[in-house]
Amino acid sequence: AESRTLAHGTDPLSGGFIELSGHRTLKVRGDIRVAGGTLLLDPTDITIGDGADCDATVCEVDLEGQLSSGTNVALIASNSITLENLSDNLLDGRSSTAQSSLFMGIGSGTSEADFVRGSGGSILFLDAGDTIAASERIKLVSGANEGQLNLGSLLAHEIKLQAGGSIQAQNLDAIGTRIEVFGEGGDILLGGVTARHDEAAAGSVQIDIRNTGTGGITTGNIDGSSDAGSSGAGNVSVQLQTGDGNIRTGNVTVSSRNTGGGANAYRSQ
């Protein structure tokens, strides 16, 4: 797809939906404006290429432009999703004026809402030193049958990870409400895990890391904090749970720094 494509909902400044598919390969280039709606790419394999001029499904700069303009992006592949080595180490879709989310999933569907998870397939960062950032939410789901998540770092308001196999990531940083990591097969190996609410309004923070398979959980330092000033309480909850594996962490900090108080909880089992 190399053209200018516009899509609007009932409000000309919001909504809209564009789906771009390819039976085996798909290359997205050009001016695609979804006006605050959703852009879906759903070929067999998806590759995010480095910079602005790449030989991949979609280039880093184009994806950054979609996210920073307020477009929610869904990358749904039946086989694999790969982030190539980024020369600047950062795919930055954040914006101070628009909110958007990034969903990557192995399976099928026309959106995150009707996503049907596939049986296999992994999501891979070729360079663990790379980071993806979004204003609102980042959610990554691998295949249910041993599909892996092998990632760098993620930065967003909310982060959700789910894999049938192992999960490996560097730092997870949620400047907002929640981090959820659900493993169903192999080990969960994470660097630093930080979720903090530091907005004026009261807000709760949750870090939930679970492994329902036989693997364990290993993390760096974990920091869950809420600082709502004088506006009210912010509850903070940190939970780590395995079915049959060991749990190893760095330092764990759970704090609610506001005049309204807040209930703090940390549980590891």
Side-chain angles (χ1 to χ4, degrees):
E2 298 196 21
S3 62
R4 183 181 185 190
T5 306
L6 308 179
H8 294 282
T10 54
D11 180 343
L13 297 179
S14 64
F17 175 79
I18 292 178
E19 177 181 2
L20 300 175
S21 303
H23 178 62
R24 289 191 178 275
T25 60
L26 173 68
K27 292 185 178 181
V28 180
R29 305 290 186 271
D31 187 9
I32 302 173
R33 302 182 185 179
V34 196
T38 298
L39 171 64
L40 165 66
L41 308 183
D42 60 350
T44 303
D45 296 281
I46 293 175
T47 301
I48 303 169
D50 178 38
D53 184 15
C54 68
D55 184 21
T57 309
V58 62
C59 296
E60 170 194 6
V61 169
D62 293 327
L63 193 54
E64 288 175 331
Q66 293 295 333
L67 291 168
S68 62
S69 68
T71 297
N72 296 313
V73 176
L75 306 179
I76 299 177
S78 57
N79 188 49
S80 69
I81 300 175
T82 303
L83 175 67
E84 293 184 345
N85 189 349
L86 303 180
S87 57
D88 63 355
N89 297 117
L90 175 62
L91 193 163
D92 193 353
R94 293 171 295 178
S95 169
S96 60
T97 58
Q99 301 295 314
S100 62
S101 297
L102 173 64
F103 174 75
M104 298 186 189
I106 302 297
S108 60
T110 59
S111 68
E112 178 183 345
D114 68 357
F115 172 71
V116 178
R117 196 175 177 196
S119 60
S122 300
I123 300 176
L124 171 66
F125 285 28
L126 294 185
D127 182 0
D130 287 340
T131 298
I132 293 181
S135 296
E136 191 60 30
R137 183 177 68 256
I138 295 177
K139 182 176 181 179
L140 279 62
V141 182
S142 77
N145 184 17
E146 299 183 355
Q148 299 180 354
L149 294 178
N150 195 343
L151 315 172
S153 297
L154 302 175
L155 173 62
H157 187 77
E158 180 179 336
I159 297 171
K160 295 185 178 183
L161 305 178
Q162 183 177 6
S166 63
I167 298 175
Q168 183 169 345
Q170 300 302 309
N171 297 322
L172 304 181
D173 194 345
I175 308 174
T177 58
R178 182 179 296 117
I179 293 177
E180 295 180 356
V181 180
F182 296 148
E184 302 153 322
D187 291 328
I188 297 176
L189 304 174
L190 306 175
V193 180
T194 302
R196 60 188 186 275
H197 178 90
D198 54 9
E199 300 174 2
S204 297
V205 167
Q206 177 182 350
I207 297 175
D208 192 354
I209 304 173
R210 303 186 190 186
N211 195 335
T212 60
T214 58
I217 296 174
T218 300
T219 76
N221 295 338
I222 298 175
D223 184 0
S225 63
S226 177
D227 185 356
S230 60
S231 59
N235 296 334
V236 180
S237 171
V238 175
Q239 176 172 289
L240 289 81
Q241 181 177 355
T242 64
D244 194 32
N246 295 321
I247 296 177
R248 300 179 179 88
T249 72
N251 297 327
V252 178
T253 303
V254 181
S255 63
S256 180
R257 297 182 294 269
N258 48 62
T259 58
N264 301 332
Y266 168 59
R267 183 172 68 174
S268 175
Q269 64 182 46

